[in-house]
Amino acid sequence: MKNTLTILILLLGLALASCVSAGPTTTIEVTMTDFQFQPSQFTVPAGQEITLRSTNNGAVVHNFVLMKLGTNAGPFFDDEDVPNVFWEVEIQPGGSVDTSFTAPTEPGEYEVICRTEGHIASGMTAKLIVVPGE
Ligand SMILES: [Cu+2]
């Protein structure tokens, strides 16, 4: 009987933990392949310090480039898009980078792209959703 109760409590804990992970998070784990971000959508609280754990499982250099609100690199990244970059990090093929950035303070949907030539066109885009902080 006591064991059953323990198992129930553990299951409840797991259920609660999975609910929490579905909401905004201050840690993003992203895997890059040729040519995708996995997952391709992240939700973070506004203005918070965000830890980005990135792994590049591809054969070429990839980037995690967060564009400013309301901007979009379009079908390819060029010099015109540089002023619209909010934050970015480059990851070498086979490499991992753990870093952090401060989330934008304005809630909204932000475009994430890989600026390596041709990668947007190959589908290497994602979305960062910024929600109001607590
Ligand atoms: Cu890429």
Side-chain angles (χ1 to χ4, degrees):
M1 187 61 198
K2 202 175 176 188
N3 282 341
T4 310
L5 190 63
T6 307
I7 289 166
L8 279 175
I9 289 168
L10 283 172
L11 286 174
L12 185 65
L14 281 174
L16 285 173
S18 58
C19 285
V20 169
S21 67
T25 175
T26 52
T27 302
I28 292 175
E29 290 191 27
V30 62
T31 301
M32 295 160 186
T33 57
D34 306 336
F35 304 91
Q36 267 189 330
F37 291 104
Q38 292 175 330
S40 60
Q41 188 170 308
F42 320 98
T43 304
V44 300
Q48 300 273 310
E49 183 85 349
I50 308 301
T51 300
L52 181 78
R53 294 197 177 130
S54 51
T55 302
N56 181 352
N57 283 342
V60 294
V61 172
H62 292 301
N63 306 266
F64 183 101
V65 183
L66 176 61
M67 303 301 291
K68 290 178 184 170
L69 187 61
T71 68
N72 185 308
F76 57 93
F77 190 95
D78 59 19
D79 290 346
E80 280 177 22
D81 300 310
V82 173
N84 294 330
V85 171
F86 183 90
W87 183 82
E88 65 180 305
V89 62
E90 181 181 278
I91 303 98
Q92 297 299 315
S96 295
V97 175
D98 284 7
T99 184
S100 63
F101 66 99
T102 304
T105 52
E106 208 173 335
E109 287 189 11
Y110 292 73
E111 187 185 38
V112 173
I113 55 118
C114 175
R115 65 185 283 179
T116 305
E117 198 176 339
H119 289 198
I120 295 176
S122 302
M124 219 168 160
T125 63
K127 197 191 285 179
L128 182 84
I129 299 169
V130 176
V131 296
E134 313 251 303

